[in-house]
């Protein structure tokens, strides 16, 4: 599926099979919603490859995995995602991700050769108080929020930012002290 640039969410809903993945080809395509859409790419499919997209200026998550399994995200550039925390002060909402899922049945996701950088908002550091806590809260590059089924591969990526756009954690999950954590 050859995709073109657009100013709204791209919905990926056509699944492939174990013998034939559906390739969503985003080479040269820019998904820039101008912060009007919550998500740049919404995936609810299995046996798919999301390749070559530039995703930026979305209110919550660059790519959101709503459902599915055997999902490959590769050669994508994701930046400028997330919203400001309701209390303001330049802090981002906690756990909004360049790639995000809160689907507990999620499994077999590959994120490779992507560049995920410069979220829209900042995270506090351990010395700064935010929402009555010194624990960092804010954006992350990859968030698998619930206890997903696992078997994920995250390799050959570049995750970076600057001192005005810190991460809560570079990658993370909801629980720090469990066997299901990142």
């Amino acid at each position: 599926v050859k995709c073109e640039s657009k100013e709204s969410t791209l919905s990926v809903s056509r699944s492939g099979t174990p013998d034939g993945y559906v390739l969503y080809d985003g080479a040269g395509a820019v998904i820039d919603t101008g912060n009007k859409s919550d998500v740049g790419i919404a995936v609810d499919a299995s046996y798919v490859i999301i390749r070559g997209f530039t995703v930026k200026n979305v209110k919550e998550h660059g790519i959101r995995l709503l459902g599915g399994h055997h999902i490959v995200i590769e050669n994508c550039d994701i930046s400028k995602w997330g919203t400001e925390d309701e209390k303001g002060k330049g802090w981002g909402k906690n756990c909004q991700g360049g790639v995000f899922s809160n689907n507990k049945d999620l499994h077999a996701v590959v994120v490779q050769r992507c560049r995920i950088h410069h979220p829209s908002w900042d995270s506090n550091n351990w010395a700064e108080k935010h929402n009555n806590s010194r624990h960092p809260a804010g954006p992350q590059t990859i968030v698998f929020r619930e206890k997903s089924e696992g078997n994920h591969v995250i390799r050959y990526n570049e995750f970076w930012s600057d001192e005005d756009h810190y991460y809560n954690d570079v990658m993370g999950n909801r629980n720090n002290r469990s066997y299901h954590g990142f």
Side-chain angles (χ1 to χ4, degrees), residues 4 31 43 48 51 70 75 77 88 90-91 94 103 109 118-119 124 134 136 152 160 166 168:
E4 296 184 12
I31 308 294
V43 180
V48 294
R51 180 185 292 154
H70 293 86
N75 298 328
D77 187 294
W91 305 123
N94 200 31
N103 181 341
V109 174
H118 296 96
N124 61 301
R134 292 196 185 278
H152 307 303
W160 78 94
Y166 285 132
N168 165 356

Side-chain angles (χ1 to χ4, degrees), residues 3-174:
C3 300
E4 296 184 12
S5 296
K6 59 188 301 180
E7 297 176 355
S8 59
T9 301
L10 170 67
S11 295
V12 172
S13 58
R14 183 174 156 201
S15 292
T17 67
D19 296 323
Y21 281 56
V22 174
L23 168 63
Y24 287 81
D25 181 3
V30 177
I31 308 294
D32 183 344
T33 75
N35 289 309
K36 293 179 183 153
S37 299
D38 290 341
V39 176
I41 300 175
V43 180
D44 196 1
S46 299
Y47 302 106
V48 294
I49 301 170
I50 311 301
R51 180 185 292 154
F53 289 90
T54 296
V55 180
K56 60 185 178 179
N57 297 316
V58 292
K59 291 195 297 188
E60 292 183 4
H61 313 292
I63 298 175
R64 181 159 186 186
L65 308 177
L66 299 165
H69 52 83
H70 293 86
I71 299 166
V72 178
I73 301 168
E74 63 185 10
N75 298 328
C76 292
D77 187 294
I78 303 167
S79 64
K80 297 294 185 188
W81 72 92
T83 52
E84 187 176 23
D85 181 88
E86 53 276 353
K87 294 185 180 179
K89 300 182 183 177
W91 305 123
K93 281 191 179 177
N94 200 31
C95 294
Q96 290 183 324
V99 176
F100 176 90
S101 178
N102 62 352
N103 181 341
K104 65 181 177 130
D105 296 325
L106 183 73
H107 63 279
V109 174
V110 176
V111 180
Q112 60 188 6
R113 292 186 295 282
C114 291
R115 292 164 309 284
I116 305 176
H117 57 98
H118 296 96
S120 295
W121 299 96
D122 199 9
S123 176
N124 61 301
N125 64 42
W126 287 97
E128 298 170 308
K129 204 167 191 182
H130 174 69
N131 290 336
N132 297 319
S133 173
R134 292 196 185 278
H135 191 288
Q140 298 180 352
T141 61
I142 298 176
V143 180
F144 292 157
R145 185 88 184 175
E146 296 300 324
K147 299 175 182 174
S148 72
E149 292 296 312
N151 199 26
H152 307 303
V153 176
I154 300 170
R155 62 184 177 187
Y156 312 126
N157 297 287
E158 296 178 48
F159 304 140
W160 78 94
S161 195
D162 59 45
E163 63 185 28
D164 294 323
H165 299 93
Y166 285 132
Y167 296 113
N168 165 356
D169 286 319
V170 175
M171 296 181 281
N173 189 331
R174 176 177 226 152

